[in-house]
Amino acid sequence: DTGVSQDPRHKITKRGQNVTFRCDPISEHNRLYWYRQTLGQGPEFLTYFQNEAQLEKSRLLSDRFSAERPKGSFSTLEIQRTEQGDSAMYLCASSLGWGSDSPWYGYTFGSGTRLTVV
Amino acid sequence: AQRVTQPEKLLSVFKGAPVELKCNYSYSGSPELFWYVQYSRQRLQLLLRHISRESIKGFTADLNKGETSFHLKKPFAQEEDSAMYYCALRMNNNAGNMLTFGGGTRLMVKP
């Protein structure tokens, strides 16, 4: 297992086009997270999955954004009708998690997908 | 709502000098605090957690609930410490383990 993989590394798209990103987490991690990071800012939470269930979505995640994790393994994040404001680094992370009382050792992040909307 | 503030965007020190990266938070509950680091051309990775009370690569951080701070310190900076540092908060009983990050501080250690 080589850690969390994200594909593609870079994506340039024209405004109004749809884009889809993929994340492959560490295989034994049951939780998968999507974050967005704009220039000069820290990562901002978008959504997370426990196995195949999407349990939380941020208000940052507009109706144009949709995420799936169909078999509890890899996940996709789709942005429809992209806007210039969507330009950012999209980070995926995975972790083990099974309850609020359990020890938690932090995320393992992927390298991210940098989206540029022109 | 919870918030994490890192007041310095850039901190520049000479090798061997002490380093303190500031982090302040606002949260009404009992938080867990973390420091993440991103070296050049590498992915974001966990540096340390307040509950572990550990020292990693010579860095320590103490949670001060009275001052709502979690500053990262190292007595003698090394050039390889140059990186982006992010402070992050996890809410107590946050079963989802979502993190709220600060804006980050770029540490530059000059020779």
Side-chain angles (χ1 to χ4, degrees):
Chain A
D1 195 343
T2 56
V4 179
S5 299
Q6 292 189 245
D7 184 69
R9 293 293 300 273
H10 304 275
K11 179 71 177 178
I12 300 174
T13 190
K14 291 184 178 180
R15 189 175 54 185
Q17 297 294 305
N18 299 344
V19 294
T20 300
F21 311 140
R22 177 180 170 122
C23 171
D24 288 89
I26 291 175
S27 56
E28 59 266 29
H29 285 181
N30 60 338
R31 290 192 173 178
L32 184 149
Y33 306 80
W34 286 99
Y35 280 77
R36 181 174 69 185
Q37 186 174 21
T38 53
L39 201 61
Q41 302 296 319
E44 297 173 295
F45 170 77
L46 293 178
T47 188
Y48 95 93
F49 294 83
Q50 178 159 309
N51 302 312
E52 66 276 8
Q54 188 175 17
L55 298 185
E56 187 85 19
K57 291 196 292 186
S58 163
R59 280 170 285 184
L60 291 175
L61 213 64
S62 76
D63 292 344
R64 297 184 296 105
F65 288 70
S66 62
E68 294 182 341
R69 193 183 184 196
K71 296 182 180 179
S73 56
F74 73 91
S75 175
T76 57
L77 178 67
E78 181 183 17
I79 309 175
Q80 296 182 326
R81 305 181 302 282
T82 52
E83 302 172 356
Q84 287 188 322
D86 297 331
S87 295
M89 176 74 84
Y90 289 84
L91 295 169
C92 178
S94 67
S95 76
L96 282 171
W98 52 92
S100 58
D101 295 331
S102 299
W104 184 68
Y105 299 98
Y107 299 152
T108 300
F109 277 94
S111 297
T113 294
R114 181 170 296 284
L115 173 66
T116 303
V117 181
V118 298
Chain B
Q2 71 280 5
R3 185 180 178 92
V4 177
T5 303
Q6 295 179 248
E8 301 143 328
K9 285 288 188 186
L10 173 66
L11 184 63
S12 182
V13 302
F14 285 102
K15 177 182 173 182
V19 170
E20 182 178 52
L21 298 164
K22 291 184 166 54
C23 172
N24 292 92
Y25 67 90
S26 61
Y27 174 56
S28 56
S30 183
E32 289 184 48
L33 274 296
F34 304 83
W35 278 98
Y36 278 79
V37 61
Q38 187 167 28
Y39 301 103
S40 179
R41 297 190 183 86
Q42 295 187 26
R43 59 189 67 188
L44 202 57
Q45 58 187 283
L46 179 66
L47 179 63
L48 55 78
R49 310 172 294 152
H50 93 266
I51 59 174
S52 299
R53 296 185 176 276
E54 57 203 345
S55 174
I56 303 293
K57 299 184 179 183
F59 284 98
T60 59
D62 292 318
L63 179 61
N64 186 325
K65 292 186 177 181
E67 295 183 358
T68 59
S69 68
F70 187 56
H71 303 326
L72 184 67
K73 300 177 184 179
K74 185 169 183 177
F76 308 104
Q78 302 299 313
E79 289 182 68
E80 55 266 31
D81 297 328
S82 296
M84 281 295 299
Y85 290 81
Y86 295 94
C87 183
L89 177 153
R90 171 179 179 264
M91 295 183 286
N92 191 26
N93 294 324
N94 180 334
N97 292 332
M98 290 88 78
L99 293 177
T100 300
F101 285 86
T105 298
R106 179 171 297 283
L107 174 64
M108 292 179 57
V109 182
K110 297 177 287 188

